[in-house]
Amino acid sequence: MNKKRSRSVFLVSAALAVALMSACGANNNAAGGSEPNNAAGNTANGESNVAAPPAVAEPIMVNQALPQQEILSTGPHGEAAVSAKSLQLTADEVKQIQGMKLKAAIAMHYAGNDWSTAQIAGLKDTFAKMGVEVVAVTDAQFKSEKQVSDLETVMAKNPDIVVSIPVDPVSTAAAYKQAAQAGAKVVFMDNAPEGLQHGTDYVSVVSADNYGNGIEAAHVMAEALGGKGKIGVIYHDADYFVTRQRTEAFEKTIKEQYPDIEIVDRSGIAGPNDGEKVASAMLTKNPDLDGLFVVWDVPAEGALAAVRAAGRDDLAITTIDLGTNVAIEIAKNGVIKGLGAQLPYEQGVAEAILAGYAALGKETPPYVAVPAVKVTKDNVLDAWQLVYRQEAPNAVKDAAGQ
């Protein structure tokens, strides 16, 4: 496992030259373009701004410059992962799909971060190449009851495709099953609702290598602490397999590979806005903490605020997801030392390709994943390019001294 500590830094650097060339031919709105925070809102009312499909159909695939490494995560039912890099629509298949005049709806769990913005951008860009009209994008604001209502609303538009990430795998299950029974090809991000069957109720689940990202976050923590210290873990207190995998991987790696680092406290968050409150309570209870692992970047921003309020800028935070604010903190060698990054734009590309497979009647794997990427101060700008297919924002470049 020690070799995995540096695998992503090396692979990102090696892949960057190819990634840059690939990105030049891609839509540069990977993280939302000129309006990065409004990607979900632009079509929430059902208005579609999809461009006409290209006159010449071209093959569609996930960025082939992504790191070529073992994917360690398994699917929601223990399925082995198929690499997203293996997915492809040929030019002839794209032309067939363009002729179908399909409609798609995107139902997000939460659209207020860079991950969601990039995922939506990957879907929109790829659907545009396929001639698929996006008729709605919704934001459930992390509320399962709103997501059920959102699904009812978008199904009234008779979409052929629904791409969604369920807020809760239990309470939303019936709504997704109804969508499938109405004829929609349902593709999931990250998780499958309880009781739904691959091939019958949904096309596939597409995720990051969340287990691998948890491992990378653990290695970053160990490097920041010099291999010893006391840390706390802030996990997602919900039945959500991707966030559970991250935490399990982080804790297992710390316990097995870094015996001089002790996990002295664990606390759960119910949603993205709970990070500051939970971190503040943990710091009050454990004033001698040396580090915090926070399960994703938005609550990590809250934890950062709590650390600063406590006057503990000497503490190290690691997390998952490369959002703008955490990237700035990493770039300036601040409290957040690094993270394991997902590849949300490429997830969106893979989800759109799988929807195309379903439209064509092609067999689809139950679980598809993109690789993990380790991000530290040393490679934060290169990693941003790989994750979002565009240069880092000026605020991140400024923080990195460029």
Side-chain angles (χ1 to χ4, degrees):
M1 292 294 291
N2 289 337
K3 292 181 180 179
K4 293 184 184 296
R5 295 178 62 180
S6 60
R7 59 179 182 163
S8 293
V9 175
F10 173 79
L11 287 167
V12 168
S13 299
L16 180 61
V18 183
L20 286 169
M21 289 186 289
S22 175
C24 288
N27 186 319
N28 284 333
N29 293 331
S34 62
E35 298 179 350
N37 296 321
N38 295 325
N42 288 342
T43 57
N45 62 359
E47 296 296 325
S48 173
N49 55 3
V50 65
V56 178
E58 297 181 352
I60 296 174
M61 66 190 75
V62 169
N63 185 359
Q64 296 299 296
L66 296 183
Q68 185 69 45
Q69 61 195 46
E70 179 186 5
I71 293 173
L72 302 175
S73 293
T74 56
H77 306 297
E79 306 96 329
V82 171
S83 173
K85 290 179 68 173
S86 68
L87 304 178
Q88 180 179 2
L89 290 169
T90 67
D92 286 344
E93 288 172 333
V94 172
K95 189 172 182 180
Q96 289 181 57
I97 295 168
Q98 289 174 351
M100 295 179 184
K101 307 296 184 184
L102 302 176
K103 297 186 296 182
I106 305 169
M108 300 301 295
H109 63 335
Y110 175 73
N113 62 3
D114 291 310
W115 181 91
S116 295
T117 300
Q119 186 105 197
I120 294 166
L123 281 162
K124 284 185 172 182
D125 291 349
T126 311
F127 278 144
K129 294 174 185 177
M130 296 161 61
V132 176
E133 179 187 6
V134 177
V135 295
V137 181
T138 61
D139 176 0
Q141 300 169 12
F142 237 91
K143 299 175 183 177
S144 56
E145 64 275 12
K146 185 177 187 308
Q147 188 164 58
V148 170
S149 176
D150 288 345
L151 288 166
E152 293 172 351
T153 300
V154 301
M155 287 309 297
K157 301 178 182 296
N158 298 314
D160 304 284
I161 299 162
V162 172
V163 184
S164 185
I165 175 168
V167 172
D168 178 84
V170 177
S171 59
T172 61
Y176 287 113
K177 195 170 186 66
Q178 289 173 2
Q181 290 173 341
K185 306 296 185 183
V186 181
V187 180
F188 287 118
M189 307 171 185
D190 283 358
N191 203 3
E194 189 173 278
L196 272 65
Q197 300 297 315
H198 167 252
T200 302
D201 303 309
Y202 66 93
V203 173
S204 187
V205 176
V206 183
S207 182
D209 182 1
N210 284 283
Y211 199 94
N213 278 321
I215 290 173
E216 299 295 10
H219 292 324
V220 174
M221 179 66 76
E223 291 160 7
L225 300 184
K228 60 183 179 180
K230 296 180 179 180
I231 64 173
V233 171
I234 297 177
Y235 62 91
H236 188 200
D237 192 12
D239 183 17
Y240 213 74
F241 98 100
V242 293
T243 50
R244 185 171 63 247
Q245 281 192 332
R246 298 173 187 179
T247 305
E248 288 175 355
F250 177 88
E251 294 181 337
K252 188 172 188 288
T253 304
I254 292 294
K255 290 174 182 177
E256 292 184 355
Q257 298 191 38
Y258 303 104
D260 293 331
I261 298 178
E262 182 184 3
I263 299 173
V264 298
D265 203 354
R266 302 177 79 255
S267 293
I269 56 170
N273 298 322
D274 295 342
E276 184 172 3
K277 175 181 66 177
V278 172
S280 180
M282 189 177 286
L283 289 168
T284 299
K285 182 181 175 183
N286 305 278
D288 58 345
L289 281 182
D290 299 299
L292 285 171
F293 168 72
V294 189
V295 69
W296 78 88
D297 66 318
V298 177
E301 293 174 24
L304 175 61
V307 166
R308 287 176 172 162
R312 289 296 317 278
D313 283 5
D314 59 316
L315 187 145
I317 294 176
T318 65
T319 187
I320 311 293
D321 291 344
L322 186 62
T324 302
N325 294 331
V326 295
I328 291 169
E329 190 70 11
I330 292 169
K332 68 181 184 182
N333 197 28
V335 173
I336 300 176
K337 300 302 182 184
L339 50 82
Q342 300 190 74
L343 293 158
Y345 186 92
E346 304 304 333
Q347 281 183 244
V349 175
E351 289 148 9
I353 291 172
L354 287 162
Y357 277 26
L360 295 168
K362 294 179 63 174
E363 184 177 354
T364 59
Y367 180 64
V368 173
V370 295
V373 177
K374 180 181 177 181
V375 182
T376 65
K377 177 178 171 55
D378 292 337
N379 74 330
V380 63
L381 298 182
D382 290 352
W384 189 282
Q385 176 74 61
L386 191 64
V387 170
Y388 294 114
R389 289 199 187 186
Q390 64 179 26
E391 290 187 1
N394 288 335
V396 179
K397 290 182 181 178
D398 291 346
Q402 295 193 15

